[in-house]
Amino acid sequence: MTTLGWVDYAVMALYFAFVLGIGAALRRYVRTSEDFFLSGRSIPAWVTGLAFISANLGAQEVIGMGASGAKYGIATSHFYWIGAIPAMVFIGLFMMPFYYGSRARSVPEYLKLRFDEKTRALNAVSFAIMTVFSSGISLYAMGKLLHLLLGWSFDLSIFVAAGVVLAYIFLGGLTSAIYNEVLQFFLIVLGFAPLVFLGLRAVGGWSGLVARLADHATGGGFAPGAYTRSWAFMGHASANPVGVEWFGLVMGLGFVLSFGYWCTDFLVVQRAMAANSMTAARRTPLIAAFPKMLFPFLVILPGMLALVVSPTSGVRAAAPAVSSTSPTSPTSGASAAGIVPPKIDPRTGAPLRDAAGRVVLDYDLATPMMLLHFFPAGLLGLGLTALLASFMSGMAGNVTAFNTVWTYDLYQSYVRPGAPDAHYLAMGRFATVAGVAISVVAAYVAASFNNIMDFLQLVFAFVNAPLFATFALGMFWKRTTGHGAFAGLVAGTLAAAVHHGLSLPAGAGVGVKGGYLGVVTTFPSELAQTFWTAIVAWSTCFVVTILVSLVTKARAPDELRGLVYGLTPKPVDTAVPWYERPVALAAVVLAVTFVLNVVFS
Amino acid sequence: MNLDVRVPIGGFFSLLGVLLTGYGWATLGTPGTAPAGVPIDLVWGAVLLVFGVAMLALARHARKPSNPSP
């Protein structure tokens, strides 16, 4: 277990002081519910853009993408260059005019304006539940990680982190969350950049990394470049460590999942809605796309490096945390890869092995181990604070989205309409407390029943998969009706559950991984199954929405002005110089992304 | 909004830079402080300090009435 020095605690204390200070300083600007939930639509584009990306830069991103980097190599960049950038460009250019222009205060409210009450209620309820549970899962992961790495108390870590997030949102509302997200963005970038620099220096640069990962790839039965080339082995699922072929990747990840998340998730869209003009709102996701396309170097590379750096190359001995928490286990260097420790069986204390007898690595520890390995006292404080910041920004994103959807879409709509604005402002603050409290409870539920959380995440995936079909049809086809949208969403969610229930990833047992309705087909990997489930859900929703819309009565075009393409004047951006216009930004983003795909193909 | 976000960001990274540079200077040459041969606290502390000061300078520049914030 690693013990921190005074300087590390000083860095953390400094961070907490500023985070709380921002909340306190913004308190006096919060006068109306619109100030609290939408920042009074007054934030410049570069700030909302960085907050847009930071709200997404939660711990799943930093820890999870590092883990995927260790597991899949540079192919993890598909989650960025295929699975994010095109969708971010699309929402900025084509969808933001409707979200921002309709003056809807939330994504469910847009659904109400465009379709009807039941479609909004379905989306608002599922979204509200999803946000508090996601933030609980992220709290749980944080408590567990800090306990493992530093021996900190699980309870204390959770209560301090939740308390700080609660305090700054309670005081300053969305503006406070957004300002802190910008601070967190820079902290994460500047906290992880030296990790990549030191790691690459230790292995002899990119070419050294390629050479070392070639050995790792051939050892796993792949071609030498399988971990360092993103497209070359996508022809067949068995040729790459991801276990996915290009069609499932492009359609499942690049189209359905990516557009479903970036274009419909209120957690990110809320940041753009806080922008101070239509042009600023449209530029928000485009500005966010610039750091997003470079993040693979920041969050994936540490995972890849962790696989191959020599255990003696850093400032501390390798894997101290794991060997000391399981004193009976033989965590010798032979069973670990680089500094990624093996996964420990909690019952026996020995490393877990797969069906073929190979040691299973604990990939989630790849990035944290890199921090402990390379960062001396001082910088370690910065790295761990950056990690904490990622947990907190993800949680704050969920909590601000929750309090808005609860207050506007559920409370104001169904419980108490027509109250004075001050009442909804007070309710927003109360919902912030309640949202954080439910997150903490969810974290403890996750700690006691891990399977419940796996199950919930599965249900969320089913609910989310068809969403983009509903929004795309709603925004671009004026004939789409409320009945069509509602039927499509329900059918798409059911189709996802049925597809998942009839399929199983290779090597998995029947249960939460699928197959509970009988195994009709197997996929080479869990990701392949996820991508295809999404494709089925989206297609079902798309077809059912069209069919039901055609047999139900459409709304008059007059009622759909500002909500549907073709009935809304196109936004003009002549007031800003050409290089600030959304179309110019989008062209640059797409060109650079294309080049990155080619360079690492 | 009347609070420029660059002020707290600049302030935070400036103080952090001073702290890390000072600590790196004081521990220079101590074993276990220079991974891959780089006295990283000193080097990165300086980078953070420059970043923080630049943010503060930008905020100050934007506050002058002739240079409205973008």
Side-chain angles (χ1 to χ4, degrees), chain A residues 393-436:
Chain A
S393 69
M395 183 177 177
N398 276 306
V399 171
T400 47
F402 169 81
N403 66 22
T404 309
V405 167
W406 163 259
T407 306
Y408 282 156
D409 290 297
L410 297 171
Y411 184 76
Q412 191 181 34
S413 305
Y414 307 118
V415 182
R416 194 169 162 199
D421 187 72
H423 179 77
Y424 297 119
L425 174 60
M427 176 46 75
R429 289 210 156 104
F430 172 76
T432 307
V433 178
V436 170

mmCIF file of all heavy atoms in Angstrom, chain A residues 393-436:
data_model
loop_
_atom_site.group_PDB
_atom_site.id
_atom_site.type_symbol
_atom_site.label_atom_id
_atom_site.label_comp_id
_atom_site.label_asym_id
_atom_site.label_seq_id
_atom_site.Cartn_x
_atom_site.Cartn_y
_atom_site.Cartn_z
ATOM 1 N N SER A 393 -16.282 14.991 -11.391
ATOM 2 C CA SER A 393 -16.929 15.651 -12.524
ATOM 3 C C SER A 393 -18.012 14.759 -13.113
ATOM 4 O O SER A 393 -19.072 15.236 -13.517
ATOM 5 C CB SER A 393 -15.910 16.051 -13.596
ATOM 6 O OG SER A 393 -15.382 14.925 -14.230
ATOM 7 N N GLY A 394 -17.756 13.441 -13.139
ATOM 8 C CA GLY A 394 -18.779 12.523 -13.630
ATOM 9 C C GLY A 394 -20.003 12.557 -12.730
ATOM 10 O O GLY A 394 -21.148 12.609 -13.193
ATOM 11 N N MET A 395 -19.759 12.595 -11.433
ATOM 12 C CA MET A 395 -20.869 12.608 -10.490
ATOM 13 C C MET A 395 -21.650 13.922 -10.584
ATOM 14 O O MET A 395 -22.883 13.923 -10.596
ATOM 15 C CB MET A 395 -20.327 12.431 -9.079
ATOM 16 C CG MET A 395 -21.423 12.366 -8.057
ATOM 17 S SD MET A 395 -20.775 12.074 -6.423
ATOM 18 C CE MET A 395 -22.307 12.138 -5.512
ATOM 19 N N ALA A 396 -20.923 15.035 -10.668
ATOM 20 C CA ALA A 396 -21.593 16.339 -10.747
ATOM 21 C C ALA A 396 -22.448 16.433 -12.005
ATOM 22 O O ALA A 396 -23.553 16.987 -11.972
ATOM 23 C CB ALA A 396 -20.561 17.459 -10.723
ATOM 24 N N GLY A 397 -21.950 15.875 -13.111
ATOM 25 C CA GLY A 397 -22.720 15.878 -14.349
ATOM 26 C C GLY A 397 -24.041 15.156 -14.146
ATOM 27 O O GLY A 397 -25.107 15.643 -14.533
ATOM 28 N N ASN A 398 -23.979 13.998 -13.508
ATOM 29 C CA ASN A 398 -25.193 13.231 -13.258
ATOM 30 C C ASN A 398 -26.147 13.968 -12.324
ATOM 31 O O ASN A 398 -27.355 13.985 -12.539
ATOM 32 C CB ASN A 398 -24.841 11.864 -12.652
ATOM 33 C CG ASN A 398 -24.479 10.853 -13.718
ATOM 34 O OD1 ASN A 398 -25.247 10.634 -14.647
ATOM 35 N ND2 ASN A 398 -23.316 10.256 -13.605
ATOM 36 N N VAL A 399 -25.595 14.571 -11.274
ATOM 37 C CA VAL A 399 -26.455 15.218 -10.284
ATOM 38 C C VAL A 399 -27.139 16.460 -10.867
ATOM 39 O O VAL A 399 -28.332 16.682 -10.645
ATOM 40 C CB VAL A 399 -25.657 15.566 -9.006
ATOM 41 C CG1 VAL A 399 -26.477 16.438 -8.072
ATOM 42 C CG2 VAL A 399 -25.245 14.286 -8.294
ATOM 43 N N THR A 400 -26.413 17.264 -11.659
ATOM 44 C CA THR A 400 -27.058 18.452 -12.237
ATOM 45 C C THR A 400 -28.109 18.058 -13.274
ATOM 46 O O THR A 400 -29.146 18.716 -13.404
ATOM 47 C CB THR A 400 -26.043 19.409 -12.895
ATOM 48 O OG1 THR A 400 -25.170 18.658 -13.718
ATOM 49 C CG2 THR A 400 -25.256 20.171 -11.856
ATOM 50 N N ALA A 401 -27.859 16.976 -14.010
ATOM 51 C CA ALA A 401 -28.868 16.518 -14.973
ATOM 52 C C ALA A 401 -30.085 15.994 -14.212
ATOM 53 O O ALA A 401 -31.230 16.252 -14.588
ATOM 54 C CB ALA A 401 -28.296 15.437 -15.883
ATOM 55 N N PHE A 402 -29.821 15.283 -13.112
ATOM 56 C CA PHE A 402 -30.926 14.732 -12.317
ATOM 57 C C PHE A 402 -31.795 15.842 -11.730
ATOM 58 O O PHE A 402 -33.013 15.812 -11.841
ATOM 59 C CB PHE A 402 -30.385 13.841 -11.195
ATOM 60 C CG PHE A 402 -31.435 13.450 -10.189
ATOM 61 C CD1 PHE A 402 -32.308 12.412 -10.456
ATOM 62 C CD2 PHE A 402 -31.567 14.140 -8.991
ATOM 63 C CE1 PHE A 402 -33.296 12.058 -9.546
ATOM 64 C CE2 PHE A 402 -32.552 13.807 -8.078
ATOM 65 C CZ PHE A 402 -33.422 12.760 -8.355
ATOM 66 N N ASN A 403 -31.158 16.845 -11.091
ATOM 67 C CA ASN A 403 -31.996 17.842 -10.411
ATOM 68 C C ASN A 403 -32.851 18.627 -11.417
ATOM 69 O O ASN A 403 -33.975 19.007 -11.104
ATOM 70 C CB ASN A 403 -31.177 18.745 -9.456
ATOM 71 C CG ASN A 403 -30.177 19.646 -10.145
ATOM 72 O OD1 ASN A 403 -30.293 19.946 -11.333
ATOM 73 N ND2 ASN A 403 -29.175 20.099 -9.395
ATOM 74 N N THR A 404 -32.348 18.828 -12.622
ATOM 75 C CA THR A 404 -33.123 19.544 -13.632
ATOM 76 C C THR A 404 -34.299 18.709 -14.129
ATOM 77 O O THR A 404 -35.442 19.184 -14.188
ATOM 78 C CB THR A 404 -32.216 19.925 -14.819
ATOM 79 O OG1 THR A 404 -31.057 20.579 -14.307
ATOM 80 C CG2 THR A 404 -32.934 20.839 -15.783
ATOM 81 N N VAL A 405 -34.014 17.455 -14.497
ATOM 82 C CA VAL A 405 -35.086 16.601 -15.014
ATOM 83 C C VAL A 405 -36.137 16.357 -13.929
ATOM 84 O O VAL A 405 -37.342 16.396 -14.193
ATOM 85 C CB VAL A 405 -34.504 15.269 -15.557
ATOM 86 C CG1 VAL A 405 -35.607 14.264 -15.799
ATOM 87 C CG2 VAL A 405 -33.756 15.537 -16.848
ATOM 88 N N TRP A 406 -35.690 16.143 -12.704
ATOM 89 C CA TRP A 406 -36.654 15.945 -11.624
ATOM 90 C C TRP A 406 -37.530 17.183 -11.464
ATOM 91 O O TRP A 406 -38.757 17.103 -11.461
ATOM 92 C CB TRP A 406 -35.951 15.606 -10.302
ATOM 93 C CG TRP A 406 -36.879 15.809 -9.137
ATOM 94 C CD1 TRP A 406 -36.910 16.865 -8.282
ATOM 95 C CD2 TRP A 406 -37.985 14.965 -8.767
ATOM 96 N NE1 TRP A 406 -37.949 16.744 -7.391
ATOM 97 C CE2 TRP A 406 -38.626 15.587 -7.664
ATOM 98 C CE3 TRP A 406 -38.495 13.770 -9.256
ATOM 99 C CZ2 TRP A 406 -39.748 15.037 -7.047
ATOM 100 C CZ3 TRP A 406 -39.619 13.223 -8.635
ATOM 101 C CH2 TRP A 406 -40.231 13.853 -7.545
ATOM 102 N N THR A 407 -36.904 18.368 -11.354
ATOM 103 C CA THR A 407 -37.658 19.570 -11.024
ATOM 104 C C THR A 407 -38.561 20.010 -12.183
ATOM 105 O O THR A 407 -39.752 20.271 -11.987
ATOM 106 C CB THR A 407 -36.712 20.718 -10.646
ATOM 107 O OG1 THR A 407 -35.851 20.248 -9.612
ATOM 108 C CG2 THR A 407 -37.470 21.926 -10.148
ATOM 109 N N TYR A 408 -37.999 20.078 -13.403
ATOM 110 C CA TYR A 408 -38.801 20.584 -14.523
ATOM 111 C C TYR A 408 -39.727 19.513 -15.112
ATOM 112 O O TYR A 408 -40.892 19.778 -15.388
ATOM 113 C CB TYR A 408 -37.886 21.103 -15.636
ATOM 114 C CG TYR A 408 -37.295 22.476 -15.375
ATOM 115 C CD1 TYR A 408 -36.112 22.860 -15.988
ATOM 116 C CD2 TYR A 408 -37.936 23.394 -14.552
ATOM 117 C CE1 TYR A 408 -35.565 24.119 -15.777
ATOM 118 C CE2 TYR A 408 -37.398 24.650 -14.328
ATOM 119 C CZ TYR A 408 -36.213 25.013 -14.946
ATOM 120 O OH TYR A 408 -35.679 26.251 -14.740
ATOM 121 N N ASP A 409 -39.165 18.318 -15.346
ATOM 122 C CA ASP A 409 -39.935 17.336 -16.122
ATOM 123 C C ASP A 409 -40.845 16.463 -15.275
ATOM 124 O O ASP A 409 -41.794 15.905 -15.796
ATOM 125 C CB ASP A 409 -38.980 16.449 -16.933
ATOM 126 C CG ASP A 409 -38.333 17.235 -18.048
ATOM 127 O OD1 ASP A 409 -39.069 17.692 -18.933
ATOM 128 O OD2 ASP A 409 -37.109 17.421 -18.018
ATOM 129 N N LEU A 410 -40.517 16.301 -14.013
ATOM 130 C CA LEU A 410 -41.377 15.447 -13.196
ATOM 131 C C LEU A 410 -42.157 16.267 -12.163
ATOM 132 O O LEU A 410 -43.376 16.253 -12.148
ATOM 133 C CB LEU A 410 -40.539 14.345 -12.518
ATOM 134 C CG LEU A 410 -39.868 13.392 -13.522
ATOM 135 C CD1 LEU A 410 -38.889 12.453 -12.844
ATOM 136 C CD2 LEU A 410 -40.921 12.583 -14.285
ATOM 137 N N TYR A 411 -41.449 17.041 -11.347
ATOM 138 C CA TYR A 411 -42.134 17.778 -10.277
ATOM 139 C C TYR A 411 -43.048 18.873 -10.831
ATOM 140 O O TYR A 411 -44.242 18.919 -10.534
ATOM 141 C CB TYR A 411 -41.092 18.360 -9.327
ATOM 142 C CG TYR A 411 -41.688 19.053 -8.128
ATOM 143 C CD1 TYR A 411 -42.205 18.315 -7.066
ATOM 144 C CD2 TYR A 411 -41.741 20.440 -8.066
ATOM 145 C CE1 TYR A 411 -42.757 18.948 -5.970
ATOM 146 C CE2 TYR A 411 -42.290 21.081 -6.972
ATOM 147 C CZ TYR A 411 -42.798 20.335 -5.927
ATOM 148 O OH TYR A 411 -43.341 20.969 -4.853
ATOM 149 N N GLN A 412 -42.483 19.742 -11.685
ATOM 150 C CA GLN A 412 -43.288 20.855 -12.212
ATOM 151 C C GLN A 412 -44.403 20.351 -13.127
ATOM 152 O O GLN A 412 -45.462 20.965 -13.226
ATOM 153 C CB GLN A 412 -42.396 21.845 -12.963
ATOM 154 C CG GLN A 412 -43.118 23.142 -13.311
ATOM 155 C CD GLN A 412 -42.242 24.115 -14.072
ATOM 156 O OE1 GLN A 412 -41.406 23.697 -14.868
ATOM 157 N NE2 GLN A 412 -42.423 25.396 -13.828
ATOM 158 N N SER A 413 -44.160 19.240 -13.813
ATOM 159 C CA SER A 413 -45.154 18.756 -14.772
ATOM 160 C C SER A 413 -46.257 17.942 -14.123
ATOM 161 O O SER A 413 -47.403 18.030 -14.531
ATOM 162 C CB SER A 413 -44.486 17.900 -15.837
ATOM 163 O OG SER A 413 -43.461 18.614 -16.438
ATOM 164 N N TYR A 414 -45.893 17.113 -13.158
ATOM 165 C CA TYR A 414 -46.893 16.160 -12.649
ATOM 166 C C TYR A 414 -47.227 16.349 -11.183
ATOM 167 O O TYR A 414 -48.253 15.888 -10.719
ATOM 168 C CB TYR A 414 -46.417 14.721 -12.868
ATOM 169 C CG TYR A 414 -46.034 14.460 -14.306
ATOM 170 C CD1 TYR A 414 -44.740 14.112 -14.651
ATOM 171 C CD2 TYR A 414 -46.982 14.590 -15.324
ATOM 172 C CE1 TYR A 414 -44.384 13.891 -15.967
ATOM 173 C CE2 TYR A 414 -46.639 14.377 -16.642
ATOM 174 C CZ TYR A 414 -45.336 14.030 -16.958
ATOM 175 O OH TYR A 414 -44.996 13.824 -18.259
ATOM 176 N N VAL A 415 -46.358 16.954 -10.394
ATOM 177 C CA VAL A 415 -46.632 17.037 -8.965
ATOM 178 C C VAL A 415 -47.204 18.405 -8.605
ATOM 179 O O VAL A 415 -48.287 18.515 -8.039
ATOM 180 C CB VAL A 415 -45.356 16.752 -8.126
ATOM 181 C CG1 VAL A 415 -45.681 16.802 -6.638
ATOM 182 C CG2 VAL A 415 -44.786 15.385 -8.492
ATOM 183 N N ARG A 416 -46.466 19.459 -8.972
ATOM 184 C CA ARG A 416 -46.957 20.786 -8.602
ATOM 185 C C ARG A 416 -46.681 21.810 -9.685
ATOM 186 O O ARG A 416 -45.693 22.538 -9.628
ATOM 187 C CB ARG A 416 -46.309 21.206 -7.280
ATOM 188 C CG ARG A 416 -47.050 22.394 -6.730
ATOM 189 C CD ARG A 416 -46.707 22.753 -5.333
ATOM 190 N NE ARG A 416 -47.156 24.121 -5.109
ATOM 191 C CZ ARG A 416 -46.727 24.888 -4.137
ATOM 192 N NH1 ARG A 416 -45.819 24.424 -3.293
ATOM 193 N NH2 ARG A 416 -47.181 26.113 -4.001
ATOM 194 N N PRO A 417 -47.572 21.884 -10.667
ATOM 195 C CA PRO A 417 -47.406 22.909 -11.699
ATOM 196 C C PRO A 417 -47.844 24.272 -11.169
ATOM 197 O O PRO A 417 -48.585 24.357 -10.190
ATOM 198 C CB PRO A 417 -48.322 22.434 -12.825
ATOM 199 C CG PRO A 417 -49.209 21.388 -12.251
ATOM 200 C CD PRO A 417 -48.729 21.019 -10.895
ATOM 201 N N GLY A 418 -47.343 25.336 -11.792
ATOM 202 C CA GLY A 418 -47.851 26.679 -11.515
ATOM 203 C C GLY A 418 -47.387 27.333 -10.230
ATOM 204 O O GLY A 418 -47.961 28.329 -9.812
ATOM 205 N N ALA A 419 -46.364 26.788 -9.586
ATOM 206 C CA ALA A 419 -45.853 27.426 -8.369
ATOM 207 C C ALA A 419 -44.919 28.574 -8.751
ATOM 208 O O ALA A 419 -44.434 28.634 -9.877
ATOM 209 C CB ALA A 419 -45.114 26.400 -7.523
ATOM 210 N N PRO A 420 -44.661 29.521 -7.813
ATOM 211 C CA PRO A 420 -43.717 30.601 -8.138
ATOM 212 C C PRO A 420 -42.312 30.054 -8.375
ATOM 213 O O PRO A 420 -41.961 28.976 -7.883
ATOM 214 C CB PRO A 420 -43.757 31.502 -6.901
ATOM 215 C CG PRO A 420 -44.549 30.798 -5.879
ATOM 216 C CD PRO A 420 -45.270 29.663 -6.503
ATOM 217 N N ASP A 421 -41.518 30.830 -9.135
ATOM 218 C CA ASP A 421 -40.191 30.362 -9.525
ATOM 219 C C ASP A 421 -39.321 30.013 -8.323
ATOM 220 O O ASP A 421 -38.569 29.038 -8.350
ATOM 221 C CB ASP A 421 -39.509 31.432 -10.386
ATOM 222 C CG ASP A 421 -38.204 30.936 -10.949
ATOM 223 O OD1 ASP A 421 -38.247 30.081 -11.860
ATOM 224 O OD2 ASP A 421 -37.147 31.366 -10.463
ATOM 225 N N ALA A 422 -39.441 30.798 -7.256
ATOM 226 C CA ALA A 422 -38.610 30.550 -6.068
ATOM 227 C C ALA A 422 -38.844 29.145 -5.516
ATOM 228 O O ALA A 422 -37.934 28.509 -4.969
ATOM 229 C CB ALA A 422 -38.910 31.586 -4.992
ATOM 230 N N HIS A 423 -40.064 28.661 -5.691
ATOM 231 C CA HIS A 423 -40.381 27.318 -5.210
ATOM 232 C C HIS A 423 -39.566 26.263 -5.979
ATOM 233 O O HIS A 423 -39.025 25.332 -5.379
ATOM 234 C CB HIS A 423 -41.874 27.065 -5.384
ATOM 235 C CG HIS A 423 -42.310 25.700 -4.940
ATOM 236 N ND1 HIS A 423 -42.459 25.374 -3.610
ATOM 237 C CD2 HIS A 423 -42.581 24.573 -5.645
ATOM 238 C CE1 HIS A 423 -42.820 24.104 -3.513
ATOM 239 N NE2 HIS A 423 -42.906 23.586 -4.735
ATOM 240 N N TYR A 424 -39.462 26.458 -7.316
ATOM 241 C CA TYR A 424 -38.720 25.470 -8.109
ATOM 242 C C TYR A 424 -37.218 25.575 -7.863
ATOM 243 O O TYR A 424 -36.496 24.576 -7.927
ATOM 244 C CB TYR A 424 -39.053 25.625 -9.593
ATOM 245 C CG TYR A 424 -40.514 25.353 -9.871
ATOM 246 C CD1 TYR A 424 -41.347 26.321 -10.398
ATOM 247 C CD2 TYR A 424 -41.069 24.113 -9.555
ATOM 248 C CE1 TYR A 424 -42.692 26.081 -10.607
ATOM 249 C CE2 TYR A 424 -42.410 23.867 -9.762
ATOM 250 C CZ TYR A 424 -43.219 24.846 -10.289
ATOM 251 O OH TYR A 424 -44.548 24.593 -10.485
ATOM 252 N N LEU A 425 -36.757 26.797 -7.567
ATOM 253 C CA LEU A 425 -35.343 26.946 -7.211
ATOM 254 C C LEU A 425 -35.041 26.171 -5.925
ATOM 255 O O LEU A 425 -34.059 25.422 -5.846
ATOM 256 C CB LEU A 425 -35.006 28.437 -7.045
ATOM 257 C CG LEU A 425 -33.603 28.768 -6.534
ATOM 258 C CD1 LEU A 425 -32.545 28.230 -7.482
ATOM 259 C CD2 LEU A 425 -33.434 30.283 -6.380
ATOM 260 N N ALA A 426 -35.934 26.309 -4.939
ATOM 261 C CA ALA A 426 -35.750 25.577 -3.684
ATOM 262 C C ALA A 426 -35.833 24.072 -3.933
ATOM 263 O O ALA A 426 -35.051 23.288 -3.368
ATOM 264 C CB ALA A 426 -36.802 26.008 -2.665
ATOM 265 N N MET A 427 -36.778 23.671 -4.804
ATOM 266 C CA MET A 427 -36.910 22.247 -5.121
ATOM 267 C C MET A 427 -35.636 21.733 -5.804
ATOM 268 O O MET A 427 -35.197 20.614 -5.556
ATOM 269 C CB MET A 427 -38.137 22.041 -6.024
ATOM 270 C CG MET A 427 -38.349 20.624 -6.521
ATOM 271 S SD MET A 427 -38.177 19.327 -5.272
ATOM 272 C CE MET A 427 -39.682 19.469 -4.345
ATOM 273 N N GLY A 428 -35.019 22.569 -6.654
ATOM 274 C CA GLY A 428 -33.775 22.175 -7.321
ATOM 275 C C GLY A 428 -32.681 21.902 -6.305
ATOM 276 O O GLY A 428 -31.940 20.921 -6.415
ATOM 277 N N ARG A 429 -32.587 22.755 -5.301
ATOM 278 C CA ARG A 429 -31.571 22.545 -4.262
ATOM 279 C C ARG A 429 -31.887 21.276 -3.478
ATOM 280 O O ARG A 429 -31.009 20.483 -3.165
ATOM 281 C CB ARG A 429 -31.509 23.762 -3.338
ATOM 282 C CG ARG A 429 -30.894 24.986 -4.017
ATOM 283 C CD ARG A 429 -30.178 25.869 -3.001
ATOM 284 N NE ARG A 429 -29.162 26.681 -3.662
ATOM 285 C CZ ARG A 429 -29.296 27.994 -3.927
ATOM 286 N NH1 ARG A 429 -30.385 28.624 -3.579
ATOM 287 N NH2 ARG A 429 -28.319 28.640 -4.525
ATOM 288 N N PHE A 430 -33.175 21.092 -3.175
ATOM 289 C CA PHE A 430 -33.563 19.888 -2.451
ATOM 290 C C PHE A 430 -33.256 18.639 -3.289
ATOM 291 O O PHE A 430 -32.747 17.634 -2.784
ATOM 292 C CB PHE A 430 -35.058 19.955 -2.107
ATOM 293 C CG PHE A 430 -35.580 18.673 -1.529
ATOM 294 C CD1 PHE A 430 -35.302 18.330 -0.218
ATOM 295 C CD2 PHE A 430 -36.314 17.783 -2.309
ATOM 296 C CE1 PHE A 430 -35.757 17.127 0.313
ATOM 297 C CE2 PHE A 430 -36.769 16.586 -1.786
ATOM 298 C CZ PHE A 430 -36.484 16.258 -0.471
ATOM 299 N N ALA A 431 -33.554 18.711 -4.599
ATOM 300 C CA ALA A 431 -33.299 17.558 -5.480
ATOM 301 C C ALA A 431 -31.807 17.257 -5.553
ATOM 302 O O ALA A 431 -31.400 16.100 -5.729
ATOM 303 C CB ALA A 431 -33.852 17.832 -6.879
ATOM 304 N N THR A 432 -30.968 18.297 -5.423
ATOM 305 C CA THR A 432 -29.525 18.077 -5.416
ATOM 306 C C THR A 432 -29.128 17.234 -4.202
ATOM 307 O O THR A 432 -28.369 16.270 -4.319
ATOM 308 C CB THR A 432 -28.794 19.436 -5.374
ATOM 309 O OG1 THR A 432 -29.296 20.247 -6.443
ATOM 310 C CG2 THR A 432 -27.303 19.264 -5.515
ATOM 311 N N VAL A 433 -29.689 17.604 -3.043
ATOM 312 C CA VAL A 433 -29.406 16.837 -1.821
ATOM 313 C C VAL A 433 -29.916 15.408 -1.987
ATOM 314 O O VAL A 433 -29.202 14.430 -1.712
ATOM 315 C CB VAL A 433 -30.069 17.506 -0.591
ATOM 316 C CG1 VAL A 433 -29.818 16.683 0.663
ATOM 317 C CG2 VAL A 433 -29.558 18.924 -0.417
ATOM 318 N N ALA A 434 -31.151 15.279 -2.477
ATOM 319 C CA ALA A 434 -31.739 13.953 -2.634
ATOM 320 C C ALA A 434 -30.942 13.123 -3.639
ATOM 321 O O ALA A 434 -30.669 11.940 -3.397
ATOM 322 C CB ALA A 434 -33.190 14.083 -3.087
ATOM 323 N N GLY A 435 -30.543 13.740 -4.760
ATOM 324 C CA GLY A 435 -29.790 13.014 -5.787
ATOM 325 C C GLY A 435 -28.478 12.483 -5.232
ATOM 326 O O GLY A 435 -28.100 11.328 -5.470
ATOM 327 N N VAL A 436 -27.764 13.323 -4.471
ATOM 328 C CA VAL A 436 -26.495 12.884 -3.878
ATOM 329 C C VAL A 436 -26.751 11.780 -2.856
ATOM 330 O O VAL A 436 -26.032 10.775 -2.804
ATOM 331 C CB VAL A 436 -25.747 14.084 -3.244
ATOM 332 C CG1 VAL A 436 -24.564 13.610 -2.421
ATOM 333 C CG2 VAL A 436 -25.291 15.048 -4.331
#
